Amino acid sequence: MPDPEAPPDAPDDLMEKVISLCKRRGFIFQSAEIYGGFRSTYDYGPLGVNLLRNVKNAWWEAMVQRRDDVVGLDAAILSPPAVWEASGHLSNFTDPLVDCRNCRQRWRQDKIGGVCPNCGSTEFTEARAFNLMFKTHAGPLEDEGAVAYLRPETAQGMFINFANVLQTTRKKPPFGIAQVGKSFRNEITPQNFVFRTREFEQMEMEYFVPPAEAPQWFDYWLDERFRWYTDLGMPAEQLRLRHHAPDELSHYSAATADVEFLFPWGWDELEGIANRTDFDLRAHAEASGERLEYFDQASGERYVPYVIEPAAGATRTMMAFLLAAYHEDEVGGEARTVLRLHPRLAPYQVAVLPLSKKETLEPLARQVLASLQPHFMCDFDVTQSIGKRYRRQDEVGTPWCVTVDFDSLDDRAVTVRERDTTEQVRVPVDGLVAELRARMDRA
Ligand code: GAP
């Protein structure tokens, strides 16, 4: 029976294929692999680091660069308990843990439906609340006064800097503060490759609005965020918006909707968009004694803004883009694997390929490479036959291959091959940057 929830045209073993491709081609490696691997932590290899950076850059461009109402921030990862006490994370950021009385395995109670996935037993210990924050000590003393936490979300950095940003930028609501960076959660059941890990990257924006305008800005950000994914080539039929039921809402939220992606195991969250009300600013104002509010000089009104928060995972989103891009098709009767990544996300936008290893081609090929490098992330490959090199570039999603052949020495033109159609056209070397730029702009 075909799985009605499976993405259209996806191979049955899509997840295994993408994980294998990630390792084979240098997107993602198991961390500390030479020591047997450290569970649930991953290192991003030469191609993965480019793809992840492109995802984060595309987010930053849409959320900060192209807007005059959002500014950026890069706050500390280490933070004192006071922050997490006020935010509610010390008391609320917990999962219910149970131990199987038969096999002694430990599980998240809300994920197993009353049956031990290991041995099938239904006998468990009482549930205990397990806090997901990583605790450490700052400085040489390991006493209570030295306790610090690795942030479990980037969001609190924006709230505790609200007054700093307001004063230094002179923004007024509606305005946002955006941040991209690592967060850490001691997940009990990390799973599905980089979908849920203990160390991951988030892309979050806190948008401060007059309270009465919160519902309309919530709807606005749902639309904006959904479109961000489709603009970057994610098929709309593999995305959906899911509104949370009242009993699902976090302790701070008046409304939440998730952008979900159709993963091989079904629909799951890429991003949450929440109306956090004035919960965070009020909590930090009360705990710190600082005024965290906005004074509107024109109207003489003083108020605590509400917050609309689009909160996405960068590493999880990168994985979704890889899954959506993975295709197997046939070219000239030969099977190929192709990553149909949007050119802005592809690890390399261009590969420069001298047709042969003969030394006569190298100087022009290197000249072409040097002319492209200021504009695009480029690969340069002289190994194997040209057909094999095309396949290698298809497999990592490079949208354009530029081949320098013996005719190029006479006519100063090169062949540009397009990844998805495999169409080839001759382009003068002098017009190459402009041609590829135009293609990039059209994508
Ligand atoms: N500030 C709100 C917040 O952090 P969240 O839904 O817990 O909300 C936002 O996290 C996004 O961060 C999620 O939609 C997901 O993409 C990503 N994320 C959360 N936990 C993660 C984990 N353990 N591994 C990878 N990504 C994670």
Side-chain angles (χ1 to χ4, degrees):
M1 272 282 283
D3 177 358
E5 289 274 85
D9 302 329
D12 293 345
D13 45 1
L14 176 63
M15 193 70 185
E16 288 73 22
K17 286 184 162 163
V18 168
I19 293 173
S20 151
L21 176 71
C22 280
K23 181 169 165 53
R24 187 159 38 83
R25 298 305 311 275
F27 282 88
I28 301 177
F29 306 122
Q30 175 75 65
S31 194
E33 199 173 14
I34 63 167
Y35 293 103
F38 189 42
R39 195 171 161 240
S40 164
T41 53
Y42 294 92
D43 297 340
Y44 291 77
L47 295 185
V49 73
N50 286 353
L51 174 56
L52 182 57
R53 188 170 289 215
N54 291 341
V55 168
K56 293 185 286 186
N57 286 347
W59 186 90
W60 196 262
E61 187 186 316
M63 301 296 279
V64 183
Q65 186 184 331
R66 285 178 181 264
R67 305 189 63 101
D68 62 4
D69 58 348
V70 179
V71 292
L73 182 77
D74 191 0
I77 288 172
L78 274 181
S79 35
V83 172
W84 307 107
E85 224 161 82
S87 70
H89 282 78
L90 272 174
S91 45
N92 290 320
F93 199 57
T94 57
D95 279 340
L97 256 192
V98 290
D99 293 340
C100 172
R101 287 196 191 277
N102 180 42
C103 70
R104 311 249 168 252
Q105 291 260 5
R106 187 162 289 178
W107 304 104
R108 247 179 85 171
Q109 187 190 37
D110 54 328
K111 293 279 174 193
I112 57 172
V115 181
C116 174
N118 186 44
C119 71
S121 166
T122 52
E123 297 291 313
F124 295 96
T125 56
E126 284 289 305
R128 300 185 305 289
F130 173 77
N131 195 291
L132 297 185
M133 281 194 297
F134 278 100
K135 192 175 182 179
T136 187
H137 293 91
L141 293 179
E142 294 208 354
D143 60 18
E144 268 308 296
V147 166
Y149 291 93
L150 303 191
R151 66 180 178 201
E153 61 172 17
T154 60
Q156 298 303 322
M158 274 80 96
F159 299 129
I160 62 178
N161 279 291
F162 172 78
N164 284 337
V165 173
L166 202 60
Q167 276 155 23
T168 51
T169 64
R170 311 199 71 73
K171 293 280 174 205
K172 56 182 194 183
F175 82 99
I177 310 177
Q179 177 166 212
V180 174
K182 289 226 169 177
S183 292
F184 301 82
R185 298 181 188 179
N186 199 359
E187 301 281 1
I188 300 162
T189 46
Q191 61 191 358
N192 292 327
F193 199 37
V194 295
F195 178 81
R196 182 176 295 112
T197 49
R198 298 197 171 111
E199 175 177 345
F200 56 96
E201 276 196 85
Q202 288 187 306
M203 310 183 286
E204 297 196 288
M205 198 270 286
E206 311 303 324
Y207 199 69
F208 301 94
V209 302
E213 295 177 18
Q216 104 202 24
W217 285 112
F218 178 71
D219 291 343
Y220 168 87
W221 282 109
L222 291 190
D223 287 348
E224 284 292 302
R225 293 305 307 147
F226 194 89
R227 213 183 45 243
W228 183 79
Y229 294 92
T230 53
D231 282 354
L232 288 169
M234 192 84 90
E237 63 275 15
Q238 278 175 261
L239 287 173
R240 74 175 185 191
L241 271 179
R242 188 182 69 79
H243 288 263
H244 283 209
D247 64 348
E248 251 184 292
L249 295 176
S250 311
H251 60 279
Y252 50 73
S253 173
T256 298
D258 290 342
V259 179
E260 293 190 333
F261 175 72
L262 189 48
F263 285 93
W265 59 90
W267 292 102
D268 220 330
E269 175 186 338
L270 285 182
E271 162 161 4
I273 296 132
N275 174 355
R276 294 184 73 123
T277 68
D278 56 3
F279 175 89
D280 304 273
L281 289 181
R282 279 198 191 281
H284 285 301
E286 195 177 312
S288 66
E290 296 290 325
R291 271 192 160 174
L292 301 179
E293 53 195 23
Y294 177 71
F295 177 61
D296 187 340
Q297 285 187 329
S299 68
E301 193 192 357
R302 186 182 290 282
Y303 64 89
V304 181
Y306 268 35
V307 171
I308 307 302
E309 173 195 68
T315 37
R316 186 179 285 189
T317 297
M318 165 186 158
M319 178 178 150
F321 277 120
L322 276 172
L323 288 164
Y326 186 97
H327 286 87
E328 290 170 353
D329 63 7
E330 239 181 52
V331 170
E334 241 186 75
R336 73 162 177 170
T337 299
V338 54
L339 283 188
R340 297 211 177 109
L341 288 167
H342 191 285
R344 291 185 55 199
L345 298 182
Y348 295 117
Q349 276 90 50
V350 190
V352 177
L353 312 173
L355 186 65
S356 101
K357 272 190 193 152
K358 290 237 167 64
E359 279 168 19
T360 41
L361 290 185
E362 175 120 0
L364 180 59
R366 294 226 164 257
Q367 203 186 320
V368 168
L369 175 69
S371 74
L372 294 172
Q373 278 171 325
H375 310 277
F376 307 102
M377 188 59 90
C378 300
D379 193 14
F380 187 80
D381 188 4
V382 283
T383 59
Q384 300 186 305
S385 74
I386 192 71
K388 286 211 172 105
R389 279 181 279 163
Y390 283 153
R391 296 288 169 280
R392 283 176 57 77
Q393 295 298 334
D394 290 343
E395 197 184 39
V396 299
T398 309
W400 300 295
C401 287
V402 170
T403 307
V404 178
D405 57 24
F406 292 100
D407 287 345
S408 308
L409 299 176
D410 298 325
D411 64 4
R412 281 195 64 84
V414 288
T415 300
V416 175
R417 174 192 179 267
E418 206 268 337
R419 176 194 69 201
D420 296 343
T421 60
T422 72
E423 213 172 75
Q424 304 192 8
V425 293
R426 205 73 185 157
V427 176
V429 169
D430 292 340
L432 188 58
V433 168
E435 166 66 22
L436 294 174
R437 269 255 153 268
R439 289 184 183 212
M440 203 60 184
D441 291 345
R442 282 199 301 270

